[in-house]
Amino acid sequence: MNHFDYRDGALFCEGVRLADIAETVGTPAYVYSSATLERHYDVFKSAFAPREVLVAFAVKANANIAVLATLARKGAGADTVSQGEIERALKAGVPAERIVFSGVGKTEEELAFAVKARVHQINVESIAELEALSRIAASLNAAPAIAIRVNPDVGAGGHEKISTGKGDTKFGVSSAQALALYARASADKHLAAKGLAVHIGSQIRDLKPLEDAFRVMRGLAEKLRADGLSIERMDLGGGLGVPYFNEPPPPSPDDYATMVKSVFDGFDVALAFEPGRLIAANAGVLLSRVIRLQERPDKEIVVLDAAMNDLIRPAIYEAYHEIKPLSDTSNARVAYDVVGPICETGDTFTRNRQLASLKPGDLVAFMTAGAYGAVMASTYNARPLVPEVLVRGDRFEVVRQRWTLEDQLKLERIPDWG
Ligand code: LLP
C-alpha cells in the first residue's frame, strides 16, 4: 500500500497535489512519501512481532538523508556498502549499533573507518577480507563484530544483473569455506565472530529460493554450534519484491515472516534483515513534463524532460514503471513510446504503452521509483541531478536541491599546460 492516489482527477502524495510540487520545484523531480516509508517499515517489523528483529534499511536503495532520518526515527538500522553510506546513515541519526557494513570491495580505509565508528557488524565476504580486517583491528586494538557472508548457491531475483546467490557470482563464500572462515574468526582475539549473513538477490517474487537459502544457513549454524562455536546472529539480507504494476503481488511481509519463523523454529538467534526496495520503492515517484510529441506514420512518441540518467532501471534491466498523468480527467487512451532527451536509443522508458492522451506541458509520474531511482542517477549529457522532495501530510520540503551547472563545473579545471 502507498499514499499516492487520485482525488478528483488529480494525483496526490499524502495531502499534497503532485502538480503543486512540480510547479514549485520544476521537473524532473523525485517525490517521497513519509507515511509510506513509515508504513512499510512498520509492516515489515511487526510481521516478526513479538520477536525483536533488526531491520537495517539498505541505504543503496535510497540514500537521501531525510529518507534515512525518517526511518531512523522509527528505529530502523542501516545496511551500508561504502564509507559514504555509513557516513550518511550516521548523519541521518542511525546509531552505529544499528549499522551493518556489507560489500565485496571494502577498502582497508573503509574497514578502518567502520571499526573506529564501532558499527554493529561487518559482513565479511572472503578470506582475504577477513585477514585484512583482522590486521586492521589489531592495529586499532579493537575486536569488531563480524558475520561471514555465505553464498548458498541458490539463484533468485528478478533480473540476472541483480541476482547474487548463485555460486558463480562474486558474492560471499561457499558453505564449506564459511565453516572454515568462521572457525578462523572465532579463534582471533581481534575479531568478535557473531554469526552468518546471506543475500541472494533482489525483486524476488517467490519464497522458495529464500527458504532454501535460509535452510542452508540454519544447517551451517547448527554445524558451527555442534563444533562448540557461538552463533548469536543471523543476517538474512533483503530481496523481497514489490508490485511494479497491476500484477499478482509478490509474497507479503507476513508470508515472508511466517516462512522465516518456520525455518528458524526452535533456533535461538538474533535475526536481522536488509530490505531496501520493499521499504522505499512504492514510497517514491519521479515527476516529469512532456516536452513534445513526435508523430510518426506508425506511432506516436512522447518526449519527456526526464531521461535514463534520472531513472536508469528501464534502460538496464528492462524494468517496468507505471506512468501516470498528474491530471487524469479523460478516459481516452493512446499507445505511446515514451522517451527522454538523451542521445541514445536506450533512453526509451517504454514502447507501445496505452496511456492517457498527453500533450506538451502535461505532467506525469513514474511510479515505484523510490528505490534505485535517484541513487542511480548520473549527469550524462551534462544534465543536472534532479531535486528530491519529501512529503509529510500536507507539507513538503526539498530535501536535495537541483544541481546547477556550476555544481558540476566547480570540480573540473582546464590545465594550464603553458
Ligand atoms: N543487502 C544486500 C547485501 C544487497 O546487495 C542488497 C541489494 C540489499 C540488501 C537490498 O535488496 P532489496 O531489498 O532492495 O532487494 N539496482 C537494482 C537492485 C540492486 C540490488 C542490489 N543489492 C534495481 O534497480 O533493481
Side-chain angles (χ1 to χ4, degrees):
M1 200 210 121
N2 62 56
H3 293 75
F4 294 90
D5 43 36
Y6 284 102
R7 295 188 208 159
D8 295 328
L11 191 57
F12 274 69
C13 172
E14 304 188 25
V16 181
R17 218 166 60 101
L18 284 169
D20 290 342
I21 297 180
E23 298 304 342
T24 311
V25 309
T27 52
Y30 277 96
V31 180
Y32 308 125
S33 155
S34 305
T36 312
L37 290 165
E38 291 172 347
R39 187 189 140 80
H40 289 169
Y41 174 80
D42 285 341
V43 165
F44 190 85
K45 174 101 176 168
S46 61
F48 293 92
R51 192 171 186 148
E52 197 38 53
V53 300
L54 173 65
V55 180
F57 173 64
V59 174
K60 63 171 75 72
N62 190 319
N64 186 287
I65 57 170
V67 167
L68 300 181
T70 302
L71 294 168
R73 279 195 292 269
K74 298 289 292 178
D79 167 50
T80 60
V81 291
S82 67
Q83 180 170 335
E85 286 190 355
I86 298 175
E87 291 191 71
R88 279 179 172 273
L90 290 169
K91 189 159 179 84
V94 182
E97 65 266 21
R98 294 208 297 261
I99 296 180
V100 176
F101 188 27
S102 318
V104 287
K106 309 177 196 81
T107 65
E108 306 225 341
E109 292 73 25
E110 287 180 309
L111 286 169
F113 178 86
V115 172
K116 284 189 231 154
R118 295 174 174 278
V119 299
H120 171 70
Q121 178 173 304
I122 300 178
N123 290 350
V124 173
E125 302 227 11
S126 64
I127 175 80
E129 183 188 344
L130 192 81
E131 276 162 9
L133 181 58
S134 168
R135 245 186 301 112
I136 290 162
S139 75
L140 295 170
N141 202 18
I146 66 128
I148 301 293
R149 174 157 176 192
V150 179
N151 185 322
D153 199 15
V154 173
H159 190 278
E160 176 205 340
K161 287 183 189 156
I162 57 175
S163 178
T164 53
K166 282 300 281 178
D168 61 354
T169 65
K170 65 181 176 178
F171 299 98
V173 298
S174 69
S175 295
Q177 277 179 317
L179 296 173
L181 236 62
Y182 198 78
R184 147 93 177 74
S186 301
D188 188 327
K189 71 178 193 313
H190 286 293
L191 297 173
K194 296 286 182 189
L196 301 175
V198 69
H199 171 84
I200 60 170
S202 198
Q203 186 55 12
I204 301 174
R205 302 180 45 83
D206 177 7
L207 289 181
K208 181 73 173 60
L210 289 163
E211 183 173 347
D212 290 348
F214 297 168
R215 290 205 186 279
V216 170
M217 301 301 284
R218 178 171 175 161
L220 289 172
E222 279 173 349
K223 274 205 189 98
L224 290 166
R225 280 190 183 166
D227 289 346
L229 301 176
S230 145
I231 295 269
E232 295 165 40
R233 302 180 189 166
M234 190 66 83
D235 177 345
L236 298 179
L240 199 54
V242 303
Y244 275 86
F245 54 100
N246 206 0
E247 55 184 334
S252 69
D254 272 347
D255 299 338
Y256 173 80
T258 304
M259 177 274 284
V260 169
K261 284 185 237 168
S262 87
V263 173
F264 289 96
D265 188 36
F267 192 79
D268 184 27
V269 73
L271 295 178
F273 300 90
E274 304 169 349
R277 193 187 311 266
L278 187 81
I279 307 269
N282 279 308
V285 299
L286 172 64
L287 303 183
S288 178
R289 196 182 281 281
V290 176
I291 298 177
R292 67 179 59 87
L293 299 181
Q294 285 185 7
E295 300 211 8
R296 295 274 178 84
D298 55 333
K299 60 174 147 196
E300 278 209 80
I301 302 178
V302 178
V303 187
L304 296 179
D305 64 359
M308 64 189 283
N309 73 301
D310 305 309
L311 178 65
I312 202 169
R313 303 191 68 258
I316 61 176
Y317 314 120
E318 292 88 40
Y320 185 104
H321 286 266
E322 245 192 292
I323 302 171
K324 291 190 171 174
L326 295 201
S327 170
D328 192 13
T329 46
S330 127
N331 288 326
R333 290 290 179 269
V334 182
Y336 290 120
D337 284 8
V338 181
V339 305
I342 283 182
C343 302
E344 56 179 283
T345 309
D347 189 24
T348 299
F349 291 111
T350 187
R351 288 182 196 278
N352 198 23
R353 173 121 35 116
Q354 295 285 332
L355 297 173
S357 130
L358 293 168
K359 58 182 189 314
D362 281 354
L363 292 161
V364 296
F366 285 90
M367 307 308 290
T368 322
Y372 307 110
V375 280
M376 294 181 77
S378 76
T379 56
Y380 188 33
N381 279 206
R383 292 167 53 88
L385 294 184
V386 307
E388 295 178 282
V389 172
L390 185 63
V391 171
R392 175 169 288 275
D394 56 10
R395 292 185 297 163
F396 70 88
E397 293 264 356
V398 175
V399 292
R400 184 180 75 187
Q401 292 181 7
R402 188 183 305 282
W403 278 32
T404 61
L405 188 62
E406 290 75 66
D407 292 325
Q408 287 190 35
L409 289 180
K410 74 180 173 219
L411 297 174
E412 296 177 29
R413 56 185 284 273
I414 300 171
D416 178 10
W417 298 120

